[in-house]
């Protein structure tokens, strides 16, 4: 059975350096598709472009995506170009394009990505970042809020450490940290590419801050470093915001796999306070 | 008196979307120009392109630079394009180009940047990140190592918290954190643009780890978020590496200005272990 995430991030080659995609509304938050979902489409197109060029290093080591305008569910195109390709690393550029009513092209996202081969990388390893102490699932809070849950929450099997998502209970803990377990609801196991999605799948920890109004927190720029290919099983995550300044905030994420290895580190710059 | 940093990052318009620059060897580490120095040239070209287009939001809110091949001191060109320009934000792309012996163009760096106006940004502020406790200058270690100091160290007035740069004393503390004071040796005050440079100006904290060989730690990708325009005076910085994995490492930086405000947050992905 093909997973929802794979179906909804599928791309089809349209021409040299050009792919067709269909953005679905199944990953929406409100009326806008989730940014990590969209970034994963770009990552997939870049990896395909590389593979079709005969390059066998398709792991997204670092993917930066700039969100230029709001994406709409519906048809889209991805324009991809290899900027530089070497023996072990390649750098690519991707643009997500949608057409308006007049069929005018509108660039929705722009990304730069560094790809490599995490299956064959060699060099020193020394990890100081232990996975957070997240209680077992049954002691956690469901990530699916009651009432008007965003559609993306139907696709996720998410469990948050109790107390971390304080805004859900009407309080604000003043600690912008969120820890939890996550996997896809249909059981699809994580892989390197899907970590781009997971890095933006949690609600904003900044909602724990009294200064930050609950509402849309649009991502301006998202950078995901994939540090290892994840083992099958649930991911463990910690997301933190430390600096909210003049309406801008950063959100740092770390994802660990079921074998307690750091598999991704992410940072995004987002805008808060539009209420 | 014009500052060395301003002279060496100066750009001159050559054509629409094209600038001339001269990379000097004054910011070298070994034989390669420092990555933050080069990224600042790209940031300056992007800001100029915006200003010349009549846009008055020239602060680099987020600048991601991919290092494609080694830059050489000498003439260079910067190709800049505005990807999207809105009322308060603009996104630009920049490419640093050098020519080889046969005058063949070689792309050395590619950058994506989001620009805005930190002088007029409004919205909530809540900062949880206090500046590190760095001892007064006279109790610090000079950032200028004895012997074969890199040329960049002549341009910097840097003071490191004692004990933090443990590899300089022949030991390895196993704590990849580096705290210190920094300003330009010629007294030029920091501004938003120069924070791109400062975010890559410290030695790699990973040298404190026994697993990491002392040697070249080339940056693959550097992202700097400028969070506020710095006040005049010395910057305080903390750089940390938490995950060295298969030879890849991240380095996170935070810069505070003389008024204790967070002015920049940076993260880079680098390669270690080539000895």
């Amino acid at each position: 059975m093909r997973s929802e995430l794979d179906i909804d991030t599928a791309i089809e080659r349209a021409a040299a350096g050009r792919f067709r995609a269909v953005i679905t509304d199944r990953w929406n938050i409100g009326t806008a598709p989730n940014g990590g979902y969209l970034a994963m489409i770009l990552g997939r197109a870049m990896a395909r472009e590389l593979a079709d060029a005969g390059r066998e290093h398709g792991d997204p080591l670092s993917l930066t995506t700039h969100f230029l305008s709001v994406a709409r569910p519906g048809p889209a195109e991805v324009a991809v170009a290899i900027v530089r390709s070497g023996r072990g690393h390649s750098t690519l550029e991707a643009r997500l394009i949608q057409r308006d009513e007049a069929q005018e092209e509108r660039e929705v996202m722009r990304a730069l990505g560094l790809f490599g081969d995490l299956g064959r990388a060699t060099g020193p390893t020394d990890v100081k970042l232990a996975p957070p102490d997240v209680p077992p699932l049954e002691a956690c809070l469901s990530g699916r809020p009651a009432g008007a849950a965003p559609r993306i929450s139907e696709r996720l099997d998410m469990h948050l450490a109790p107390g971390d998502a304080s805004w859900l209970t009407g309080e604000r803990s003043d600690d912008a940290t969120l820890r939890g377990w996550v996997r896809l609801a249909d059981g699809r196991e994580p892989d390197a590419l899907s970590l781009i999605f997971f890095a933006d799948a949690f609600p904003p920890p900044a909602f724990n801050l009294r200064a930050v109004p609950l509402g849309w927190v649009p991502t301006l720029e998202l950078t995901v470093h994939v540090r290892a290919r994840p083992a099958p099983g649930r991911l463990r995550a910690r997301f933190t915001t430390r600096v909210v300044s003049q309406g801008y905030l950063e959100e740092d994420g770390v994802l660990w796999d079921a074998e307690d290895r750091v598999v991704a580190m992410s940072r995004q710059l987002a805008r808060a306070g539009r209420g």
Side-chain angles (χ1 to χ4, degrees), chain A residues 1-7 184-189:
Chain A
M1 199 194 70
R2 212 161 147 228
S3 146
E4 293 174 320
L5 188 64
D6 292 319
I7 294 167
L184 289 162
D186 66 6
R188 188 241 203 230
E189 297 293 359

Side-chain angles (χ1 to χ4, degrees), chain A residues 7-23:
Chain A
I7 294 167
D8 293 353
T9 59
I11 49 161
E12 190 191 334
R13 185 173 289 281
R18 199 97 176 183
F19 298 89
R20 275 185 291 269
V22 178
I23 298 169

Side-chain angles (χ1 to χ4, degrees), chain A residues 29 39 42 47 66 108 145 162 174 177 193 200 212 234 248 271:
Chain A
I29 298 172
L42 295 187
H66 284 251
V108 173
D174 210 41
T177 301
L193 194 62
D200 192 40
V212 174
R234 277 175 214 277
Y248 295 95
R271 191 84 184 125

Side-chain angles (χ1 to χ4, degrees), chain A residues 38-188:
Chain A
L38 297 171
M40 183 176 159
I41 295 175
L42 295 187
R44 190 185 285 285
M46 290 162 135
R48 173 82 62 80
E49 185 75 10
L50 261 185
D52 289 355
R55 297 289 171 171
E56 291 177 352
H57 45 256
D59 293 314
L61 303 186
S62 169
L63 186 80
T64 290
T65 306
H66 284 251
F67 297 81
L68 309 173
S69 57
V70 178
R72 305 278 172 216
E77 286 165 68
V78 187
V80 180
I82 297 179
V83 172
R84 180 193 163 271
S85 195
R87 207 158 38 96
H89 289 144
S90 293
T91 305
L92 292 93
E93 172 199 82
R95 296 180 288 134
L96 187 78
I97 294 155
Q98 292 198 290
R99 291 173 193 274
D100 61 19
E101 292 77 20
Q103 292 301 304
E104 207 67 56
E105 285 198 358
R106 183 172 55 91
E107 186 169 345
V108 173
M109 294 161 63
R110 173 77 64 108
L112 266 182
L114 172 72
F115 286 74
D117 183 347
L118 289 170
R120 284 188 306 181
T122 55
T125 292
D126 188 355
V127 178
K128 306 294 187 192
L129 212 44
D133 202 17
V134 188
L137 300 182
E138 56 276 15
C140 282
L141 215 69
S142 159
R144 226 178 277 193
R151 292 213 59 192
I152 188 176
S153 68
E154 301 165 16
R155 315 262 95 73
L156 290 169
D157 177 355
M158 184 183 281
H159 296 262
L160 302 175
D164 275 9
S166 65
W167 75 91
L168 288 178
T169 57
E171 317 211 347
R172 319 285 290 266
S173 67
D174 210 41
D175 178 0
T177 301
L178 212 55
R179 290 156 295 185
W181 302 99
V182 69
R183 68 174 184 187
L184 289 162
D186 66 6
R188 188 241 203 230

